[in-house]
Amino acid sequence: MLLGCIADDSTGATDLANTLVKGGMNTIQIIGVPAPDMDIGETDAVVVALKSRTNPAAEAIEDSLAALAWLRAQGAQQILFKYCSTFDSTDAGNIGPVADALLDAMGADFTIACPAFPETGRSIYKGYLFVGDVLLSESGMENHPLNPMTDPNLVRVLDRQTPNAVGLVELATVRKGADAIHAAFDGLKAKGIRHAIVDAVFDEDLIEIGHASKNLELITGGSGIAMGLPDNFRALGALTRRSAPALPQIVGRSAVIAGSCSKMTRKQIAHTRRSWPSFNIDPWNIAAGKPVVAEVLDWAAAQDDRAPVLIFSSADPDEVAAIQAEFGREEAGEMVEKVMGQVARGLLDMGVNRLVVAGGETSGAVVKALDIRALRIGPEIDPGVPWTEAIGGVPLALALKSGNFGAEDFFEKSLGMLP
Ligand code: ADP
């Protein structure tokens, strides 16, 4: 194994694996900390998908260190810690605490933090993160149910999460190319800086940053930071194969499960509801102890099995705020996630074998409920989201989408690609 990756949620892991596959690396995604004896055969890269974005920092650290130990035991030459391109975190973590713990465990003293992903509109300038044309804090992310992002300045955001010094490599340096970026890393390191936010506006910036990072033991960032890494291994002659990702050849029933409350997922739902049978899960019914899972599954069983169904809990920010005010942010989220997991299990038992899931945490809950351990990464649907196929277990095609990803017609488009 050349590159070992630790991702803090499952859609983010898939997005990263997708980038590595496009760069020519054979990639397998593993769900959760792998068992010590897990055999993955020969592969260029492994992405371990944790569910460590929003749990307490101590748990996130423990799981990340266990993943690190397994990856290093498999011979990983470099480690990438992947988080969301919108830097999803709170002052309690988990980006800073996990990055510090990984550095300590590796005996390293410097890493970078670069969540930029220009293809999906995430760019960093002077340390400020933009989503499309607006600052992170005006992008809708300020209303995220679990980690509202109200400060767009990543140097400040990360500084609140680590006792160590945080610096910045500005775009003016990045534009000079890999050697200048590498020199900037050395300069920051000499000043005792342990984490450097790195500006990036275009894909070519990320490629230069990737090249400049070839000797870093640990890199942290969004999936975009992986764009320049395959070249580093190719230059060493270590990458000999080219993967040709194939679509899952799975024919059968299709369903979409959406638990993301992001703007884009709500648009995708509004678009698709017009033509598909859909079921809106009301979290107040879950809280009231009504048999919501049974209701959803009875409804799904009564639909035409040739037509895809859409099942969603997604709601507007004011509705989300109301339920959170009653039950607390995490409790409300977990309550819905648990139902989504049970619904997915029921759908699978009903013969659904092509499943699209919208929402990072929601995808994590679904994958856990279905007991999926590993995924083969297939071709891309929309930027950052590939089709995947479960390895071991029943045949299942899965598309796991982070809330804001995909175009408005994502649900139809994804299922339309399958045979
Ligand atoms: P994203 O990828 O957009 O961040 P996630 O699935 O990661 O989406 O996060 C959305 C969170 O909101 C999940 O914890 C989910 O259970 C929760 N959620 C879903 N529907 C509702 C709702 N109607 N009210 C409150 N929380 C909800």
Side-chain angles (χ1 to χ4, degrees):
M1 190 197 310
L2 303 171
L3 183 66
C5 310
I6 301 167
D8 71 354
D9 89 334
S10 77
T11 47
T14 311
D15 169 16
L16 170 60
N18 175 58
T19 303
L20 294 170
V21 166
K22 285 200 290 183
M25 296 181 92
N26 288 330
T27 306
I28 287 176
Q29 179 175 335
I30 294 175
I31 317 293
V33 177
D37 59 348
M38 183 167 192
D39 180 20
I40 47 152
E42 212 178 295
T43 187
D44 297 328
V46 168
V47 182
V48 176
L50 300 179
K51 199 172 181 305
S52 59
R53 183 170 294 170
T54 54
N55 60 355
E59 274 174 34
I61 289 172
E62 191 186 331
D63 287 352
S64 303
L65 290 178
L68 173 71
W70 185 84
L71 290 166
R72 294 180 96 193
Q74 303 290 316
Q77 295 172 19
Q78 187 171 48
I79 299 294
L80 170 58
F81 168 38
K82 151 77 174 77
Y83 37 78
C84 192
S85 60
T86 41
F87 214 69
D88 296 24
S89 53
T90 67
D91 290 353
N94 293 337
I95 294 174
V98 169
D100 277 329
L102 293 173
L103 282 172
D104 289 343
M106 299 173 83
D109 58 1
F110 178 81
T111 188
I112 59 167
C114 184
F117 193 4
E119 199 181 4
T120 56
R122 280 71 159 160
S123 57
I124 309 169
Y125 181 61
K126 302 252 178 209
Y128 284 80
L129 180 58
F130 291 82
V131 178
D133 298 332
V134 299
L135 285 168
L136 173 66
S137 49
E138 299 166 14
S139 67
M141 280 301 296
E142 69 276 22
N143 298 317
H144 190 281
L146 305 175
N147 40 257
M149 300 303 291
T150 53
D151 184 353
N153 184 304
L154 298 184
V155 177
R156 284 194 307 245
V157 172
L158 187 55
D159 192 54
R160 289 193 290 267
Q161 295 180 30
T162 170
N164 297 297
V166 180
L168 174 66
V169 179
E170 291 209 41
L171 191 66
T173 304
V174 172
R175 300 300 293 175
K176 289 185 191 141
D179 290 344
I181 301 167
H182 189 259
F185 292 169
D186 287 343
L188 291 173
K189 241 194 295 191
K191 281 197 227 155
I193 285 176
R194 207 172 191 226
H195 304 268
I197 303 288
V198 188
D199 279 352
V201 175
F202 300 106
D203 284 354
E204 58 257 38
D205 300 333
L206 285 165
I207 289 167
E208 293 299 323
I209 297 165
H211 293 174
S213 303
K214 70 169 180 249
N215 296 322
L216 293 182
E217 291 101 323
L218 175 70
I219 298 169
T220 88
S223 60
I225 197 64
M227 287 195 309
L229 303 181
D231 286 345
N232 296 339
F233 296 112
R234 202 173 283 114
L236 294 172
L239 259 196
T240 49
R241 291 150 292 160
R242 213 191 137 85
S243 60
L247 267 177
Q249 293 300 308
I250 295 179
V251 183
R253 276 188 92 164
S254 306
V256 174
I257 293 181
S260 164
C261 299
S262 65
K263 272 188 191 168
M264 187 41 94
T265 295
R266 284 184 288 128
K267 272 193 202 170
Q268 289 160 341
I269 291 168
H271 176 86
T272 304
R273 271 185 95 173
R274 293 200 284 267
S275 41
W276 290 9
S278 63
F279 192 106
N280 185 355
I281 293 177
D282 182 346
W284 293 101
N285 286 343
I286 303 175
K290 295 195 180 154
V292 174
V293 175
E295 265 172 44
V296 177
L297 295 175
D298 287 348
W299 170 85
Q303 304 306 310
D304 177 355
D305 64 5
R306 286 160 303 182
V309 294
L310 168 65
I311 295 161
F312 65 97
S313 65
S314 319
D316 295 343
D318 49 345
E319 291 173 58
V320 172
I323 192 117
Q324 289 186 341
E326 182 74 21
F327 299 102
R329 181 191 293 170
E330 276 168 34
E331 291 74 5
E334 278 170 18
M335 180 174 85
V336 179
E337 286 167 33
K338 195 169 157 217
V339 163
M340 294 313 219
Q342 291 170 350
V343 166
R345 178 84 251 171
L347 290 172
L348 197 74
D349 294 343
M350 197 183 288
V352 169
N353 52 10
R354 300 142 41 118
L355 193 59
V356 178
V357 187
E361 295 293 330
T362 307
S363 294
V366 166
V367 156
K368 193 168 170 208
L370 301 184
D371 197 25
I372 292 165
R373 305 289 170 85
L375 298 169
R376 182 182 63 75
I377 306 302
E380 190 173 58
I381 305 162
D382 269 341
V385 199
W387 266 115
T388 75
E389 189 169 349
I391 300 176
V394 296
L396 177 67
L398 259 183
L400 305 172
K401 182 189 88 74
S402 166
N404 273 317
F405 279 24
E408 214 166 312
D409 64 349
F410 182 85
F411 299 148
E412 290 103 314
K413 181 179 176 188
S414 53
L415 291 166
M417 285 169 71
L418 296 183

